[in-house]
Amino acid sequence: MARPLLKIQRYFRRKPVRFFSFILLYLTAGSLVFLHSGFVGDNSTGANGGRDPLVASEMGNRVASSDGRRVGMMGRVFKENRRPTPRRYGPPWMKGAAGKDSHDWRARGGDYTSSWNRALKGRNAKDLDDGRANYIGCYIDNTAKRALRGVSFFDYKKMTVFRCQDNCAERGYLYSGLEFGAECYCGHKIQAPNASESECNMECKGEKGNLCGGANRLSIYRLELSQESARRYGSAIFKGCFHRPDNVTLALPISAVIQNMSVEKCVDFCTEKELSLAVLAGDRCLCGFPTPHFSLHEMEDEEMCMHRCHGEEFESCGNDKYFVVYQTQVQDNRCMDRHFLPTRSKQLMALASFPGAGNTWARHLIELATGFYTGSYYFDGSLYNKGFKGERDHWRSGRNVCIKTHESGKKEIEAFDASIVMIRNPYKALMAEFNRKYGGHIGFASQAHWRGKEWPEFVKNYAPWWASHTLDWLRYGRNIHVVHFEELKRELFSKLKDMVLFLGLEVAEDRLLCVEGQKDGNFKRSGLRKLEYDPYTPEMRASIDELVMTVDAALKKRNMAGVPKEYRPTSR
């Protein structure tokens, strides 16, 4: 080995120019490699943020080197906040040495791969009654006067019942209808009479076995879940029927009498005035923002507002006592300003949850409600680009109101002085995290992932972690405030108010009302993109139900309310 090195040394000593040329070429090549790795690092930070909870052993070395490159790039971009190697979250037993403090929950999980073959096959769309949509019937349609008068689209090769439902639901319509096997129509009302079921006899172009209307006949479905997420009229969101406020002028300062009143006219009027509420009261249109004078918290029966508009016979315009309310596309800016804490906090506040339990959504709510950024134990470039500016800070910086974390080890938990612990129904949380893992923050896993070996393996490893995560925070956490995802959705105003108070901040009611109007943010999946079958086998359910009861008992032992009823086996 010494002789070749000696020859190289003599060669460059005789020809110094060659030596310097070699060094120059070496540096040039290194610079090109650095620039290439930087661009690769930027492009690879997608919806998953470069984090993969389940890291296959054969991919370990490649992933580790890629992460190192990516971190180096981030360190140069954000010099003032250099971060250590990005942390990966996952079940403790899948982290090697990191899982020594955790219980061996893995033993609870069974091998579900063999039983997965018993998963249900797709059923006829008319037989489905899973909360997605209900089949209404066959209706007459014609080109001169459509039964459904919203948007429409055609696909003469791949049209399916569920594709039509998804497209209508994403636009906020209450009904979807299929015609000629390939045409999809959406609408808020059915404006045509029934036809015989035998007349809706054409198979869907992209789905044999399911019917998609007929010649001038619509197979119509009511999209039940659209009411949970948002009922819309075009771009405006229907908020409900409400009693007239005590002081109308103070609650809704802008008003006008509109001839041939319709929802569209009132919404357009309030949009022009740059106000977020369009309120119909007979022939009067009123505009404003949600305030304590008109909070939209006490909804009335819609029958009280069933007074037809003069300009559109199929619409309700309310009356002098009961108002019909829509939310326009005008953004309520009262809760949009956000910044870092004015002085660095000496206490570290965690926002802890199992992945898929709504942590990102909770961060969105907290930032709007408090006006302060939230941080993260990790770094996710896609979330930073979405507006979570605290994402780039080191989690100990003290500049953020709370820190997102999925960790569950004793050492990691005791690093925080207090914590809000988010808990979600494990059946929903597991599916949400599986979708995030394979489809991004608002995407969906493919059918191949659900039906393949990935899903059983995922449940086997992650279901026990759902329980151990909560148990560890209850055991090691110093000051715990438990929030159930489902209760936060149902009682947003009161639950979010409690969270803000727990963070030690003042509650601005106007700001909380503003949050209610913008609660979804950019991290909400379409409510209708559900599987056509139950992905959980009986063995999976038995194991998860046992974990639910374990968590329920642990919460009650800490003198807290147990898990909500919908988590428990007896409620299904």
Side-chain angles (χ1 to χ4, degrees), residues 44 55 80 104 110 116 172 202 219 263 284 300 343 346-347 353-354 399-400 416 454 466 521 542:
S44 63
V55 184
E80 70 275 19
D104 187 13
W116 175 247
M202 290 188 175
S219 297
V263 173
R284 292 181 65 209
E300 302 287 348
T343 58
K346 296 181 180 179
Q347 281 199 329
S353 76
F354 173 81
R399 300 204 304 163
N400 301 294
F416 293 94
E454 292 92 345
W466 174 86

Side-chain angles (χ1 to χ4, degrees), residues 451-464:
R451 293 185 181 276
K453 64 181 181 180
E454 292 92 345
W455 170 245
E457 185 67 21
F458 179 87
V459 173
K460 176 182 176 182
N461 287 295
Y462 274 61

Side-chain angles (χ1 to χ4, degrees), residues 13 15 18 37 47 87 104 147 166 185 228 275 296 335 390-391 396 424 478 480 485-486 537 547 550 555:
R13 186 178 298 172
K15 304 287 186 178
R18 293 179 182 178
S37 66
R87 298 176 175 83
D104 187 13
D166 273 349
Y185 296 88
E228 292 182 9
L275 294 168
L296 307 184
C335 58
E391 192 79 13
R396 286 185 178 274
R424 187 180 185 182
R478 300 177 188 174
I480 301 293
F485 175 86
E486 293 76 13
T537 64
L547 297 173
T550 301
L555 288 169

Side-chain angles (χ1 to χ4, degrees), residues 23 27 39 41 49 93 115 131 205 244 311 347 350 429 433 526 553:
I23 293 297
L27 293 175
F39 286 119
W93 47 85
S115 58
K205 296 295 184 181
R244 173 192 175 101
Q347 281 199 329
E433 175 58 11
S526 167

Side-chain angles (χ1 to χ4, degrees), residues 36-51 66-67 69-71 74 380-382:
H36 174 71
S37 66
F39 286 119
V40 170
D42 281 347
N43 293 335
S44 63
T45 306
N48 288 338
R51 286 185 272 109
S66 174
D67 282 353
R69 226 174 23 241
R70 202 172 301 162
V71 172
M74 289 301 178
D380 189 329
S382 68

